[in-house]
């Protein structure tokens, strides 16, 4: 049986008003503030572009979360609608002041659904005052009547050409660069920068970026160009860099020195960064703030690099430490022991996946590991460990109150001399480990990887089996 949901009187009034766009535009002068969003939605989905153009000029809120209606910048069908609204903004920018308009932020990100949901009737508990209040997301001058209009977008720059929506928007911003601040909180680059990429980066307010993610294989000159831009991203909180191309020493120095300017950095992840081998101390020297999370993964590092890492004061309060894919087999285990002791008070997540750690090394760091009272998860997959050492590991960490995720490799004994998995032997090992958990008498779940160690070949999470003990 179908449920009949009749349109509300307000919706019917909006539909009726939009049948004559000239009348709708005239009525905006007298339209109550609370009726603007529902009428705007009706005009948007009905493609009443002249009405939208006029409504933008009289928008009674600080923010227009347009991306929440458009579904992001990739919707080609909205290019003409965007053009109409930007034409309306042109009139607004030329007038500089409007008797009713409070618009300071045009948000084209996929956010703002709560705003539109509230005005569509699904959430009636949002106060009108909270929607009128300025949003301190961009520059401190946003509330000034002559301040540039802030346009927020999401940017993911890849090898493909720019879509029509973004191409039109960038052209519009470029012609009004003095009146528009183009803002992007999260920047992702998955390509070799083209002329278009560099042009877009030159138009963005770099100090608005809070997260930057770059996966690249750049020529030294390109990397040098980006290093200079990174230094201008002064409000970056999270930075992920994955670069496999070896760089000249001069470029390494230029890149690492930029971190001196990143005084809000909290999360740093460097992946496949071969150029950091023997130079990690340069990067650590330029860190100006304590990091919540630090990751150096699939990188070549030296014993000197690990020593400097264990001595870095801005790593000592980290909650997350990830050395996945960093080969530690030939290193003195004391270096890792000192590092763990350094972060023991705050460490919550430790990833030592595919590090080639041996039994002797793990046993050496167990005392330091047992001091990590806040530890929630540990990943030891991809290491060469025996059943005996894994048992000792379970016993030494059983008193860590927050430890809820532990990932282990299938022990060495579960493989033949040719490296083939022995299913029956692995089943017996599972039973041995479960018995250890029973002896400990505490509820515990561990995850066991069932395939051989093979760095860079497999996803360590794809073949996990859990062993769980729950006392009655």
């Amino acid at each position: 049986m179908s449920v009949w949901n009749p349109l509300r009187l307000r919706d019917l009034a909006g539909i009726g008003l939009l049948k004559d766009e000239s009348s709708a535009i005239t009525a905006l002068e007298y339209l109550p503030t609370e009726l603007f969003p529902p009428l705007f939605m009706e005009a948007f989905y009905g493609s009443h572009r002249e009405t939208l153009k006029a409504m933008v000029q009289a928008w009674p809120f600080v923010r227009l979360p347009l991306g929440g209606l458009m579904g992001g910048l990739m919707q080609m069908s909205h290019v003409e609608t965007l053009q109409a609204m930007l034409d309306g903004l042109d009139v607004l920018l030329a007038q500089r002041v409007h008797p009713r308009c409070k618009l300071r932020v045009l948000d084209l990100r996929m956010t703002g659904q709560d705003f539109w949901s509230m005005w569509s009737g699904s959430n009636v508990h949002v106060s009108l005052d909270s929607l009128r209040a300025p949003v301190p997301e961009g520059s401190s001058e946003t509330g000034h009547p002559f301040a540039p209009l802030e346009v927020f977008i999401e940017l993911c720059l890849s090898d493909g050409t720019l879509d029509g929506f973004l191409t039109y928007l960038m052209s519009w911003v470029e012609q009004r660069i003095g009146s528009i601040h183009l803002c992007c909180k999260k920047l992702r680059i998955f390509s070799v920068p083209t002329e278009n990429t560099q042009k877009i980066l030159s138009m963005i307010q770099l100090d608005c970026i809070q997260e930057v993610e770059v996966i690249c294989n750049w020529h030294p000159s390109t990397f040098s160009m980006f290093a200079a831009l990174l230094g201008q991203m002064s409000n970056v909180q999270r930075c992920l860099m994955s670069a496999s191309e070896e760089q000249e020493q001069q470029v390494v120095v230029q890149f690492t020195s930029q971190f001196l300017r990143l005084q809000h950095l909290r999360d740093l992840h460097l992946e496949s960064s071969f150029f950091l081998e023997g130079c990690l101390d340069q990067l650590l020297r330029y860190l100006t703030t304590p990091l919540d999370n630090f990751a150096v993964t699939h990188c070549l590092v030296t014993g000197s690099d690990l020593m400097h890492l264990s001595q870095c004061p801005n790593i000592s309060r980290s909650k997350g430490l990830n050395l996945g894919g960093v080969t530690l087999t030939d290193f003195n285990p004391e270096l890792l022991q000192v590092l763990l002791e350094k972060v023991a008070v705050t460490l919550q997540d430790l990833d030592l996946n595919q590090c080639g750690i041996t039994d002797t090394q793990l046993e050496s760091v167990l005392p330091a590991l047992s001091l990590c009272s806040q530890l929630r998860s540990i990943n030891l997959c991809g290491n060469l460990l025996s059943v005996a050492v894994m048992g000792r590991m379970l016993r030494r960490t059983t008193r860590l109150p927050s430890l809820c995720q532990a990932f282990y490799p299938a022990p060495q004994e579960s493989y033949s001399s040719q490296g083939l998995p022995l299913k029956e032997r692995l089943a017996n090992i599972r039973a041995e480990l479960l018995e250890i958990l029973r002896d400990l008498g505490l509820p515990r779940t561990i995850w066991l990887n069932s395939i051989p160690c093979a760095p860079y070949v497999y996803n360590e999470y794809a073949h996990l089996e859990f062993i769980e003990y729950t006392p009655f």
Side-chain angles (χ1 to χ4, degrees):
M1 181 178 177
S2 61
V3 178
W4 182 47
N5 291 316
L7 292 173
R8 290 171 294 179
L9 184 60
R10 184 193 66 185
D11 301 324
L12 292 171
I15 294 172
L17 186 60
L18 289 170
K19 288 181 178 179
D20 182 353
E21 282 204 276
S22 61
S23 298
I25 293 171
T26 302
L28 292 180
E29 184 178 351
Y30 311 100
L31 193 69
T33 297
E34 55 268 25
L35 294 184
F36 257 76
L39 185 62
F40 190 94
M41 286 188 283
E42 291 288 349
F44 179 84
Y45 290 119
S47 297
H48 297 282
R49 297 188 179 95
E50 290 301 315
T51 302
L52 290 173
K53 179 178 177 180
M55 292 193 77
V56 167
Q57 299 172 45
W59 190 247
F61 304 102
V62 172
R63 178 183 298 275
L64 175 54
L66 192 57
L69 291 180
M70 289 183 153
L73 292 180
M74 301 306 292
Q75 298 295 325
M76 290 289 295
S77 59
H78 295 312
V79 174
E80 292 184 359
T81 304
L82 174 69
Q83 182 176 355
M85 286 182 279
L86 294 184
D87 288 345
L89 286 175
D90 279 337
V91 176
L92 186 64
L93 293 172
Q95 291 177 342
R96 288 285 184 172
V97 64
H98 189 280
R100 184 168 189 176
C101 185
K102 294 183 174 64
L103 183 61
R104 294 291 179 269
V105 178
L106 176 63
D107 197 338
L108 298 175
R109 299 170 296 177
M110 293 181 66
T111 58
Q113 286 84 354
D114 289 345
F115 176 88
W116 303 111
S117 295
M118 191 275 288
W119 291 113
S120 66
S122 60
N123 182 358
V124 295
H125 300 294
V126 180
S127 70
L128 188 61
D129 289 340
S130 67
L131 297 170
R132 288 172 173 159
V135 181
E137 184 174 38
S139 69
S140 58
E141 301 177 353
T142 301
H144 193 279
F146 298 108
L149 177 74
E150 296 191 340
V151 179
F152 278 85
I153 61 172
E154 296 173 333
L155 267 184
C156 179
L157 303 176
S158 60
D159 290 321
T161 57
L162 299 181
D163 64 272
F165 195 114
L166 192 56
T167 299
Y168 182 83
L169 177 65
M170 291 301 169
S171 175
W172 182 81
V173 172
E174 183 181 17
Q175 297 173 33
R176 297 154 185 83
I177 202 68
S179 303
I180 301 293
H181 277 177
L182 187 60
C183 304
C184 172
K185 278 195 167 185
K186 184 173 182 179
L187 172 65
R188 294 184 295 168
I189 303 177
F190 302 139
S191 67
V192 176
T194 62
E195 183 177 345
N196 276 338
T197 304
Q198 296 182 38
K199 187 175 183 180
I200 290 173
L201 292 178
S202 69
M203 294 166 60
I204 295 175
Q205 297 292 310
L206 296 176
D207 59 351
C208 287
I209 298 174
Q210 296 183 5
E211 296 184 38
V212 58
E213 182 176 348
V214 177
I215 299 177
C216 62
N217 188 14
W218 290 344
H219 185 272
S221 61
T222 304
F223 202 91
S224 178
M225 176 274 296
F226 180 79
L229 295 178
L230 179 64
Q232 299 177 50
M233 302 176 191
S234 55
N235 287 303
V236 161
Q237 299 175 19
R238 180 178 181 271
C239 177
L240 186 154
M241 291 287 301
S242 177
S244 57
E245 182 81 13
E246 291 190 41
Q247 303 294 337
E248 301 170 358
Q249 181 65 24
Q250 180 181 355
V251 176
V252 176
V253 172
Q254 184 179 6
F255 170 74
T256 56
S257 64
Q258 302 305 316
F259 286 85
L260 187 63
R261 304 181 182 183
L262 308 185
Q263 300 187 10
H264 299 279
L265 188 65
R266 291 294 178 267
D267 296 348
L268 177 59
H269 188 163
L270 303 172
E271 182 176 25
S272 302
S273 300
F274 295 106
F275 62 90
L276 285 178
E277 182 181 8
C279 303
L280 190 57
D281 62 313
Q282 292 181 195
L283 170 65
L284 298 173
R285 185 189 315 142
Y286 291 118
L287 292 177
T288 60
T289 58
L291 295 181
D292 291 334
N293 296 284
F294 181 74
V296 173
T297 61
H298 303 295
C299 294
L300 296 177
V301 299
T302 65
S304 175
D305 290 327
L306 285 180
M307 182 185 67
H308 287 297
L309 181 60
S310 65
Q311 295 173 349
C312 179
N314 286 317
I315 303 295
S316 62
R317 308 295 292 180
S318 294
K319 297 177 182 178
L321 180 62
N322 186 351
L323 298 178
V326 175
T327 303
L328 302 176
T329 309
D330 299 325
F331 291 159
N332 186 340
E334 184 178 347
L335 294 173
L336 185 56
Q337 179 182 346
V338 172
L339 177 59
L340 291 176
E341 290 173 348
K342 191 85 170 181
V343 297
V345 175
T346 58
L347 187 64
Q348 296 180 0
D349 302 293
L350 176 63
D351 195 332
L352 297 174
N353 165 57
Q354 298 183 37
C355 290
I357 293 175
T358 63
D359 279 355
T360 302
Q361 289 175 315
L362 184 58
E363 285 194 280
S364 297
V365 301
L366 278 179
L369 195 58
S370 63
L371 297 176
C372 300
S373 58
Q374 305 299 316
L375 194 65
R376 300 180 308 185
S377 70
I378 182 170
N379 186 350
L380 290 168
C381 290
N383 295 293
L384 303 172
L385 305 178
S386 66
V387 176
V389 168
M390 288 174 59
R392 285 192 279 276
M393 172 78 178
L394 290 175
R395 293 184 177 93
R396 290 301 296 262
T397 59
T398 189
R399 297 299 175 184
L400 298 181
S402 301
L403 186 61
C404 58
Q405 290 192 102
F407 302 93
Y408 294 95
Q412 298 180 55
E413 294 88 344
S414 60
Y415 301 104
S416 69
S417 57
Q418 291 77 32
L420 300 175
L422 304 172
K423 292 184 179 181
E424 185 176 345
R425 180 59 181 140
L426 184 58
N428 292 334
I429 290 173
R430 286 171 52 85
E432 289 181 43
L433 295 175
L434 180 58
E435 190 61 33
I436 292 175
L437 295 179
R438 287 197 183 100
D439 290 343
L440 295 174
L442 296 173
R444 189 78 178 272
T445 300
I446 63 174
W447 296 86
L448 194 66
N449 203 316
S450 60
I451 62 174
C453 303
Y456 311 110
V457 175
Y458 70 93
N459 178 355
E460 71 272 16
Y461 297 104
H463 299 271
L464 289 172
E465 302 175 358
F466 71 90
I467 303 173
E468 182 177 31
Y469 171 66
T470 304
F472 295 104

